[in-house]
Amino acid sequence: MPKKRPPKVENVAPTPETARKLTFDPLLALYRAGTISGTHLHCADEIATAFTLLTLPVSLRLSNPGSEVRSDPIGTEARWAETLEKRGKLFDRYKTWRQAMKSKRRGISIALAIIIDRRSCRSVSRQFKIRDGIAGQIVRDALNIYAVIAGYLAERKAACGGIPAPPE
């Protein structure tokens, strides 16, 4: 009697949650290793959000986040004004951070490659021809600088060496 083959199973795409779990996140790896903290992850998220909003076309950048809600135009306007204010503060912090990184020569390209593109520290180290482990330190320093500018780590201001005060 011949052996029966098992039935063929169709290739099924993973759910978004599973796909997210399967992709490598260098910031999460640094967090798990104890190199960066939860505050640093929050700062990285703000940097990525500001970068994404600044690189969007103007029509998408100014889109109203409350446009789906039509029942309360006053509340929508209040949310819209609040969102614009938050975005303005986010842009100010991002621009101050970029200037501080450029003035200190701290490797802004390396930090952005890991924060925005989510490339591994090792691949970034190879691309920029730096020693292994240095890229992680550069990202940690960059996130420390942003945290000081944003006011999340006020006690670290002296350690960062003359970083400008957070915008009011």
Side-chain angles (χ1 to χ4, degrees), residues 64-65 74-88:
N64 188 341
I74 297 173
T76 304
E77 289 297 322
R79 278 191 303 251
W80 177 233
E82 182 181 328
T83 301
L84 284 178
E85 184 180 344
K86 285 181 183 177
R87 285 184 184 178

Side-chain angles (χ1 to χ4, degrees), residues 146-159:
Y146 186 87
V148 169
I149 290 170
Y152 300 135
L153 295 176
E155 67 273 3
R156 297 280 210 135
K157 187 178 270 190

Side-chain angles (χ1 to χ4, degrees), residues 21 25 49 57 73 104 140 165:
K21 290 177 192 173
D25 188 356
T49 302
K104 296 287 182 185
R140 185 191 62 225

Side-chain angles (χ1 to χ4, degrees), residues 40-150:
H40 293 117
L41 288 177
H42 180 71
C43 292
D45 185 47
E46 283 189 4
I47 291 169
T49 302
F51 182 85
T52 303
L53 286 173
L54 286 171
T55 56
L56 282 175
V58 175
S59 61
L60 293 176
R61 199 180 313 161
L62 296 176
S63 64
N64 188 341
S67 61
E68 301 84 35
V69 181
R70 298 281 183 205
S71 61
D72 182 19
I74 297 173
T76 304
E77 289 297 322
R79 278 191 303 251
W80 177 233
E82 182 181 328
T83 301
L84 284 178
E85 184 180 344
K86 285 181 183 177
R87 285 184 184 178
K89 288 180 182 179
L90 188 68
F91 293 154
D92 290 342
R93 286 192 294 236
Y94 176 77
K95 289 176 184 176
T96 306
W97 174 74
R98 278 189 66 97
Q99 291 170 355
M101 289 291 290
K102 285 181 180 179
S103 68
K104 296 287 182 185
R105 296 193 167 281
R106 302 254 180 150
I108 192 163
S109 301
I110 295 169
L112 288 178
I114 294 171
I115 294 170
I116 306 297
D117 299 334
R118 301 291 183 175
R119 294 183 43 211
S120 69
C121 295
R122 180 166 290 196
S123 70
V124 171
S125 296
R126 287 180 183 158
Q127 178 191 355
F128 289 97
K129 296 181 172 108
I130 57 175
R131 227 177 35 196
D132 281 340
I134 300 295
Q137 293 174 4
I138 290 173
V139 169
R140 185 191 62 225
D141 293 343
L143 293 174
N144 272 340
I145 291 171
Y146 186 87
V148 169
I149 290 170

